[in-house]
Amino acid sequence: QSALTQPASVSGSPGQSITISCTGSSSDVGGYNSVSWYQQHPGKAPKLIIYDVSNRPSGVSNRFSGSKSGNTASLTISGLQAEDDGDYYCSSYMSYTSDILEFGGGTKLTVL
Amino acid sequence: QVQLVESGGGVVQPGRSLRLSCAASGFDFISYGMHWVRQAPGKGLEWVSFISYDGSKKYYGDSVKGRFSISRDNSKNTVYLQMNSLGAEDTAVYYCSRDSRIAPPGEDYWGQGTLVTVSS
């Protein structure tokens, strides 16, 4: 059982927007702004798409955005495209002083 | 450019041992902590272990504690994962990744992964 809770699956049609939630606790997600989101396609390593809750690495589409409220972080993908189909994981360190990483169980996004 | 290359995976019998390596290049290895993360077939990501930049701090996930051991050789820019008493539940792709907390914002690197299959 993962420390961070994500929905198992979400789906949307091209052009639509979807949001994936990631619920943790007051010490990890809620404790400080170090939530990351990863996109993974089959057979590939995870790719960072959001870091520190709401920041996009260079080269990541601005269709991806992140936010946080309390102990729940969210990833929103707007203007869905076929290439967004894949698995998405949130991650956070256990606490501000911890070196232990936690991952969500992953969410399978299906673009209809 | 930053590269992380895992090796050492393969098929191993239950109860046996295996050592994975992760060779790093393109950055100041001695300054960074390193993680091992695994992914069982069809499953999600699971954090396995962390070692600090100087090897003084080591942490393990509950499922591998007491069986796996992480180490590093800064002269060879390599981090290792010694896996003992392997069971079917350890079958997974194992990735090494660089601790991103001291890196320039948004920089995050993972290797391509190495597959470990525990089977008789």
Side-chain angles (χ1 to χ4, degrees):
Chain A
Q1 190 158 347
S2 303
L4 306 180
T5 301
Q6 298 179 233
S9 63
V10 298
S11 62
S13 300
Q16 289 185 333
S17 295
I18 62 96
T19 296
I20 300 172
S21 62
C22 171
T23 301
S25 69
S26 58
S27 60
D28 45 45
V29 173
Y32 70 121
N33 292 330
S34 189
V35 177
S36 297
W37 288 92
Y38 291 87
Q39 177 192 60
Q40 188 181 34
H41 290 128
K44 301 292 188 181
K47 173 190 173 185
L48 181 70
I49 55 173
I50 295 288
Y51 68 95
D52 293 349
V53 175
S54 60
N55 296 286
R56 280 187 310 276
S58 175
V60 172
S61 170
N62 59 9
R63 298 185 299 103
F64 294 92
S65 63
S67 63
K68 189 182 81 168
S69 177
N71 297 339
T72 299
S74 298
L75 170 71
T76 297
I77 309 174
S78 59
L80 273 178
Q81 299 180 0
E83 68 224 42
D84 299 332
D85 197 285
D87 296 319
Y88 291 81
Y89 296 91
C90 62
S91 75
S92 174
Y93 282 88
M94 274 188 71
S95 70
Y96 183 74
T97 58
S98 175
D99 295 315
I100 295 173
L101 260 180
E102 300 172 320
F103 287 98
T107 299
K108 167 61 180 172
L109 168 62
T110 301
V111 180
L112 302 169
Chain B
Q1 72 280 22
V2 172
Q3 275 199 306
L4 299 171
V5 179
E6 301 95 338
S7 61
V11 180
V12 61
Q13 293 180 328
R16 304 296 291 263
S17 300
L18 204 61
R19 189 179 81 157
L20 305 182
S21 300
C22 169
S25 60
F27 65 99
D28 186 20
F29 180 73
I30 198 170
S31 295
Y32 286 84
M34 298 292 294
H35 293 278
W36 284 99
V37 176
R38 70 183 181 183
Q39 186 170 34
K43 302 296 184 182
L45 301 173
E46 179 188 10
W47 175 80
V48 173
S49 185
F50 170 84
I51 187 167
S52 61
Y53 69 99
D54 60 355
S56 64
K57 295 191 293 181
K58 303 175 182 180
Y59 303 101
Y60 303 93
D62 288 342
S63 62
V64 306
K65 206 171 293 184
R67 300 188 299 122
F68 288 15
S69 176
I70 193 171
S71 61
R72 65 189 295 158
D73 185 338
N74 285 343
S75 69
K76 296 182 178 179
N77 284 5
T78 301
V79 61
Y80 303 98
L81 186 68
Q82 177 67 42
M83 306 185 296
N84 299 329
S85 302
L86 285 163
E89 69 277 11
D90 298 313
T91 293
V93 174
Y94 286 74
Y95 297 100
C96 65
S97 73
R98 189 180 79 169
D99 185 355
S100 61
R101 289 173 294 178
I102 67 164
E107 282 198 11
D108 185 76
Y109 293 97
W110 296 55
Q112 83 290 349
T114 187
L115 176 62
V116 173
T117 302
V118 183
S119 173
S120 55

